[in-house]
Every structure is written in structure tokens, then in C-alpha cells.
Amino acid sequence: MAAFVEGAPCWVDASLPDVEAGKRFYGELFGWTFADSAGAEYGHYTQAYSRGRNVAALAPKPDGRMPTVWGVYLYTNDAYACAQRIRAAGGQMVMDPMPVGPYGTAAMAADPGGAVFGLWQPGTHHGFEAQQEPFTYCWSEVYTRARDAVDVFYAKVFGYVPQDQDDAGVEYRIWSPPGKAPGTDTAVLGRSLITDAFPEIMPAHFLVYFAVPDCDRSVATAKRLGGRVTADPFDTPYGRIAVVADNQGAVFGLLSEPRAGADA
């Protein structure tokens, strides 16, 4: 079981119109298996496992007007105190902290740019049992138009220490926890900008990435399963990346190790 620092991603879940269809899609794409869904008291939440370890969850949307999306939860040891910091720093609480049985305390917040993220204060559910390996969570980044306000917000709420990457002329910032030297070895989140290269209607959002052995092969599998590609595979200094949507519209990233001899 991984130990999480304040503000580090500790869990992800997908809100879907059809959980059974999601199980078929992610079961084949990532080889995940699934527990029986929790009862109505817990929104029929369905845990996903990779090689028997807890890695994500699928949840039916309670309202069809809600977005079909992958969401990320940031660890906190006190969701109520964190909610106060969020408000004081210019964010909003979408859902105030709420106990989820014995499992923990959850909340939903929006940063000043409008990107929504979750908070998780563990009880018996501690978060990822596996990450940073094939077919598990590996990274998240927030896309925003409100660069300055968002940078100040996350520094105030979680104490993140920034390092700017600015590779190939693309402004990009990574955040490390307080007390850690900033850099790729310690970073827990990234921040990118929504530029004119993106559709005008694109909202601020978090993009969740999953590690895969072969990015191109996983993209082909996602397409075969009814998904669509929003960014074709491309090489970066950090690996080969693609962005896809599942067969219900939830968008996520895929990341594999850098290809030998690839020009990033």
C-alpha cells in the first residue's frame, strides 16, 4: 500500500452512463477485473483491479446532465481543513466533505479556473494499491486558461513547489510536494495551458494518464473497442503519449516508455 503526501493523486474513477459497457471496454483495454458493484447506498460504485490490486473505479452517473469523465482525487489527511483552504484560496467546493461509510471522506472542489478535482481522506480505503506500472494510473495534469490564479491556488492549498519545463516552446509546469526538491523525480501533478490550439468550448479539466507497455497498440485497441482518438501518439522526453476517449466519451491519456531512438 502506497503512502501519499498531502495533495498527491491517490485515486481515480470514471463517471459513466453505462458501467457494464465500461467494464467490457477497460477489461479488454487494460485487463482489469471488477468487483461486484456496491449497493445503492454507495452509488453502485464498482472497483477495478489490476492483477488483484485496487487501481480505479467506475461509477454510474446519477444524472445524465453530468459529464462523462475520468476524475482524480487528491490525498488529504483532513478534508474539512483542506476545504477551508480551498475556499480561502479562491476555489469553490462542489461537494462539501462527506463521510463514505467506513471507507473515508470525500469532497469535490473546483479551482479558480474551473477544473474540478476530488479530495480523499482515507478510512479503510487507502487509495491505489498499485500505480506507476503497466495498466495502472501514472500521471495527471490540469489544463487551464487561468494560469496565474491556478498556480497561486495550488501553492496555497497544497504547498506545491513548481518547476517550469517549457519543452519545445510549450509552457508546462510540474508541481512537487513541499519539502521536496522540485523536479521530475518528485513531481505529483502537471499544469498545462488551454491555448488556441484547443477548441474554444474545451473547459478547464484534469487529464488522467494510464501507463501502457505500447502506446500505439493500446490506441489501436481503444479504437477497435469503439473509442476515439483525440491526440494521436507522439513522442516526448517523458515517453510516448496519446489521448483517447472511451466508447462512452470519457477522455484519458496513455503513456508508454520512450521509444529507442525517438525524436522527442
Side-chain angles (χ1 to χ4, degrees):
M1 179 181 67
F4 300 100
V5 297
E6 187 82 10
C10 65
W11 192 243
V12 292
D13 60 22
S15 296
L16 302 174
D18 186 339
V19 167
E20 290 302 315
K23 289 164 66 174
R24 292 190 294 272
F25 182 91
Y26 292 102
E28 185 160 353
L29 180 64
F30 293 146
W32 288 351
T33 57
F34 300 91
D36 293 336
S37 66
E41 179 183 1
Y42 300 112
H44 299 287
Y45 207 68
T46 300
Q47 303 281 342
Y49 298 87
S50 178
R51 295 194 291 178
R53 295 162 302 166
N54 211 349
V55 294
L58 309 180
K61 296 197 299 183
D63 186 329
R65 295 170 295 181
M66 296 176 66
T68 299
V69 65
W70 273 99
V72 62
Y73 293 79
L74 307 182
Y75 172 86
T76 181
N77 59 18
D78 188 335
Y80 298 92
C82 191
Q84 290 182 334
R85 297 198 304 271
I86 286 169
R87 293 189 181 96
Q92 297 181 337
M93 295 307 299
V94 178
M95 182 187 80
D96 287 327
M98 178 182 67
V100 185
Y103 304 110
T105 300
M108 300 297 295
D111 68 24
V116 174
F117 60 94
L119 300 176
W120 184 249
Q121 177 185 334
T124 60
H125 191 299
H126 296 278
F128 300 124
E129 292 178 339
Q131 59 172 316
Q132 309 298 330
E133 60 183 61
F135 307 123
T136 71
Y137 169 88
C138 64
W139 185 243
S140 291
E141 56 202 16
V142 59
Y143 281 77
T144 186
R145 293 181 174 88
R147 176 190 59 194
D148 295 342
V150 161
D151 286 348
V152 170
F153 171 82
Y154 287 101
K156 287 183 175 179
V157 174
F158 297 112
Y160 292 151
V161 182
Q163 184 183 79
D164 292 322
Q165 303 295 296
D166 299 342
D167 291 314
V170 177
E171 181 178 331
Y172 190 78
R173 172 169 284 192
I174 56 176
W175 288 318
S176 297
K180 301 286 188 180
T184 55
D185 291 340
T186 60
V188 294
L189 279 175
R191 188 270 289 148
S192 193
L193 299 182
I194 301 175
T195 65
D196 293 340
F198 294 92
E200 290 185 12
I201 61 171
M202 176 179 283
H205 64 282
F206 276 82
L207 179 63
V208 171
Y209 287 82
F210 297 99
V212 292
D214 186 323
C215 184
D216 296 75
R217 180 176 296 178
S218 291
V219 166
T221 301
K223 290 171 66 176
R224 176 174 58 80
L225 295 171
R228 58 184 174 84
V229 180
T230 65
D232 287 318
F234 61 98
D235 293 304
T236 76
Y238 316 106
R240 189 158 172 82
I241 290 172
V243 182
V244 302
D246 68 20
N247 56 345
Q248 300 181 67
V251 175
F252 58 96
L254 298 168
L255 174 64
S256 60
E257 293 292 329
R259 296 185 302 168
D263 183 2

